[in-house]
Amino acid sequence: MSSNPPPAPPSLADLRKEIDAIDEQVHQLLMNRADIIDRLIKVKKTQEVGSAFRPAREADMMRRLVQRHRGILPLDTVEGIWRVIVSTFTYVQAPFSVHADVSVGESAMRDSARFHFGFVVPYVAHFSAQAAVEAVARSKGDLALVSTTSGHTPWWITLEPVGAPKIIARMPFIERADHPAALPVFAVSRVADDALVLEVETWSIRVSGWNAQVSRALSPLADVVAVPDTAFDGAALLVSIEAPADLDKIKAALIAAGASVRSAALVGGHAKRYTVPS
C-alpha cells in the first residue's frame, strides 16, 4: 500500500516573501494609525496643554500587550517598539520634549528616555531633578524624567500647587529581570484630569520629628524618599501609597512613631507596576 510523500518544506525564497508581505502590512497599519491620529487631532484638538498624554490608557494597553505576547520574539523588543510608536504619535499630536535628570547617571537616564520615547522626541539633559521639573513647569506640555530615589532636594514640592505638573507615570511599567531600561523613574508632566491614574498615589508630606525610628515605622506601608526640611526642622517626604494603605494610615503611622505632620499634598499618581514572572 503506497503512501503520499510528505509535502516539501517551503524554500528560503518563499519564507522571505512571507516576511516581506508581513513587513508591508505592518508599515501599512502604521500609516493607517497615523491617518486616524490626524483625524483625532482635528476632532479633539489635542494640541491643548498636556492633553495628548493618556497614562491610564497606556497602562491598560501595556497589560494587554504582555498578556497576549507569545513566541520567540523577546518581550523587550515588543515593549520598545510599542513605546516608540505611542510616544511618536503623541509627539505628532502635541510636540513635547523630555527633560531628564542626569544626576543619577547620564547613560542610564538616556537609555530610559530613548527606550520609552525613541529618538524623534527631543531629549534635554539637566544636572538636577529640580532643574528638570522646573523646565517642565515653564513649558506648555513637556515631560520630565526623574529618578524615583532622587532625594538631594525636595523637587516634588514644585508639584504641590493647583495647576502645576504632576507625577503621571512610573517606569519601567513592565518589571522583569534584565530590563534594558531598568532605572526606576517618575514621569512628570501636565495631564488631563480624566487621564490621570491613581492606583498608586504620590504625596508630598512635610513632617517634624523625622528620625530613623519614624522611617522604619513607615517603610512597610509605602515607598518613601526623604530629604531635610529646614522650614519645619524635620523632613520633606515623597510618599508613594498603594492600597490597602492610604493617607490616613500613613499619617497615623507617622504620629504613632513620634512625628508631627505639617502638611500633605497630592502630587500625582501612577499605575501599579506589572511584574513578569521570572
Side-chain angles (χ1 to χ4, degrees):
M1 185 175 180
S2 63
S3 59
N4 294 325
S11 67
L12 286 176
D14 291 336
L15 293 173
R16 286 167 180 155
K17 285 182 181 179
E18 287 186 47
I19 291 173
D20 290 343
I22 291 172
D23 287 346
E24 184 176 342
Q25 293 174 44
V26 171
H27 188 195
Q28 185 61 55
L29 288 171
L30 288 173
M31 291 188 291
N32 292 347
R33 195 182 198 278
D35 291 339
I36 295 172
I37 294 296
D38 190 34
R39 287 155 47 198
L40 185 148
I41 290 173
K42 294 171 183 175
V43 171
K44 297 184 68 175
K45 300 186 185 303
T46 54
Q47 293 91 343
E48 295 175 4
V49 172
S51 59
F53 294 118
R54 313 295 297 185
R57 175 170 166 76
E58 289 184 17
D60 181 61
M61 293 173 70
M62 285 305 302
R63 290 188 182 104
R64 287 188 278 117
L65 181 147
V66 176
Q67 290 165 359
R68 70 172 176 257
H69 184 64
R70 60 176 177 80
I72 64 172
L73 182 63
L75 181 58
D76 293 338
T77 302
V78 177
E79 183 188 4
I81 291 172
W82 183 89
R83 287 289 184 187
V84 169
I85 290 172
V86 171
S87 297
T88 300
F89 281 119
T90 301
Y91 178 79
V92 168
Q93 294 177 60
F96 68 98
S97 296
V98 172
H99 298 267
D101 165 28
V102 299
S103 63
V104 295
E106 168 71 30
S107 60
M109 184 58 79
R110 184 178 289 272
D111 284 349
S112 179
R114 292 311 187 199
F115 182 87
H116 291 100
F117 298 97
F119 287 87
V120 172
V121 178
Y123 171 89
V124 184
H126 297 267
F127 291 109
S128 70
Q130 188 71 32
V133 171
E134 287 175 353
V136 168
R138 293 191 300 269
S139 75
K140 293 183 178 180
D142 288 355
L143 179 144
L145 292 182
V146 179
S147 167
T148 61
T149 60
S150 184
H152 300 296
T153 59
W155 55 268
W156 51 87
I157 291 175
T158 307
L159 313 181
E160 291 182 355
V162 175
K166 305 297 179 188
I167 292 170
I168 65 169
R170 193 271 191 195
M171 299 179 288
F173 173 69
I174 300 176
E175 294 279 12
R176 59 188 178 278
D178 301 321
H179 195 291
L183 180 69
V185 297
F186 286 127
V188 177
S189 188
R190 290 186 175 87
V191 70
D193 291 340
D194 63 348
L196 191 64
V197 55
L198 295 174
E199 294 174 358
V200 179
E201 297 179 347
T202 52
W203 287 83
S204 173
I205 301 176
R206 303 191 207 188
V207 302
S208 59
W210 179 259
N211 54 40
Q213 178 180 338
V214 177
S215 177
R216 286 193 296 268
L218 205 56
S219 60
L221 300 176
D223 292 331
V224 180
V225 180
V227 298
D229 185 355
T230 55
F232 291 140
D233 191 25
L237 312 179
L238 178 62
V239 183
S240 299
I241 308 174
E242 180 179 336
D246 57 27
L247 182 61
D248 288 339
K249 288 183 179 179
I250 297 300
K251 287 182 176 180
L254 286 166
I255 293 169
S260 298
V261 178
R262 300 298 186 183
S263 66
L266 184 68
V267 292
H270 58 83
K272 296 179 183 177
R273 302 192 295 278
Y274 189 106
T275 301
V276 178
S278 58

